Amino acid sequence: MAFFSPLQVKDFVTLGNILGGIGSMIASLEGDVDWACYLMLIAWVFDSLDGPVARATGGGNRFGEVFDNVADLVAYSLAPGSLLYLVYRMPVEAGGAGWPVWAAGLLGAFPIVVGCVRFSRNDVMELTFPEFHLGLPRTVYALYLGTLFCSHLFRGPWMTDPASAANAWLYGAGAAFVTAVSSLTLTLRPFHAKPKKPTFMVMFSTVWFFATTVLGFIAAAVLAMPRLVFDVFAVNFTLYTWFGWSIIPPGTRAEIRDYCRRMGERWKVEMG
């Protein structure tokens, strides 16, 4: 029987995204919170490279687009869901929340459920606006969750003290945070993507992200505190998620609202 492989060069890079996500899930199964997040970051690196590789090799097709979306489901839905289950299921003495199986499982299901809904929605009706993401990007969503729960805030010594109220309060707030951020992925709220003519604030934000990331890695190496990397990412994702909309010009926001209104009306007509 003849064997047909639809994979192009770019798709092998996408495989790195999938393998990073699978590796993250394995790390969660093994109880390693830090490596679960590291491997999500590695998956993100491969996800960032598949586009440039496609342009450099002249590849890219409809299969590659679907394959990339499926890879994102693994790395940015299944992997963070597994990590959430781990940190909320681990006992307090180990730095976890110590929640029962059903509660930790319910919270861990959030990234998976919203990822499946968003994937299905966008597959049925492509919701795009030039130079913007509509809804919090899955990449930011997953890495925001991962780096926050691996930061010093959630992995500090106060989280392993059964007599301290910090653990219960922080994980309770963290559960509310997961719910809020998950809802953002299903909205049509605009987030900057890669504008062809970036404004000063967009360029400043981009330089800030890369500069602080590099400084974070340097500080982590010099001080022998690898968790600083997670701290820097968590802060930057917080700024992007909750304040990024503020640098979008009012006129552009109005255009996006009008587009979303029209797409909502079209959805009602076509989907009932």
Side-chain angles (χ1 to χ4, degrees), residues 106-188:
L106 185 62
L107 190 67
F110 265 88
I112 301 170
V113 171
V114 299
C116 290
V117 172
R118 177 167 170 154
F119 174 83
S120 301
R121 182 193 70 182
N122 291 356
D123 190 58
V124 170
M125 181 179 291
E126 188 174 4
L127 300 170
T128 59
F129 194 88
E131 302 182 2
F132 289 91
H133 299 290
L134 296 180
L136 184 66
R138 289 175 294 182
T139 309
V140 175
Y141 171 62
L143 297 181
Y144 192 7
L145 293 181
T147 55
L148 179 66
F149 284 102
C150 289
S151 69
H152 277 97
L153 180 63
F154 280 89
R155 311 315 305 164
W158 49 86
M159 300 299 283
T160 58
D161 183 3
S164 172
N167 183 292
W169 279 103
L170 280 172
Y171 275 118
F177 160 81
V178 169
T179 305
V181 177
S182 297
S183 68
L184 283 178
T185 69
L186 297 181
T187 67
L188 297 181

Side-chain angles (χ1 to χ4, degrees), residues 173-261:
F177 160 81
V178 169
T179 305
V181 177
S182 297
S183 68
L184 283 178
T185 69
L186 297 181
T187 67
L188 297 181
R189 184 175 180 175
F191 291 88
H192 272 290
K194 297 177 181 178
K196 296 179 180 178
K197 294 182 179 180
T199 63
F200 170 78
M201 286 305 299
V202 171
M203 290 189 292
F204 176 81
S205 300
T206 303
V207 171
W208 169 273
F209 178 84
F210 283 106
T212 54
T213 298
V214 171
L215 290 174
F217 274 101
I218 293 173
V222 172
L223 300 175
M225 297 174 63
R227 204 171 297 285
L228 282 175
V229 174
F230 297 140
D231 297 341
V232 171
F233 274 116
V235 169
N236 282 333
F237 288 136
T238 297
L239 294 173
Y240 178 83
T241 300
W242 302 109
F243 303 102
W245 64 271
S246 64
I247 64 174
I248 300 175
T252 303
R253 291 205 296 267
E255 291 178 17
I256 295 173
R257 282 196 299 270
D258 182 63
Y259 167 79
C260 292
R261 178 188 57 78

Side-chain angles (χ1 to χ4, degrees), residues 3-26:
F3 175 75
F4 170 71
S5 173
L7 299 177
Q8 297 182 345
V9 174
K10 171 262 184 194
D11 300 320
F12 285 99
V13 179
T14 303
L15 278 175
N17 185 9
I18 295 175
L19 293 175
I22 293 173
S24 176
M25 287 187 283
I26 292 173

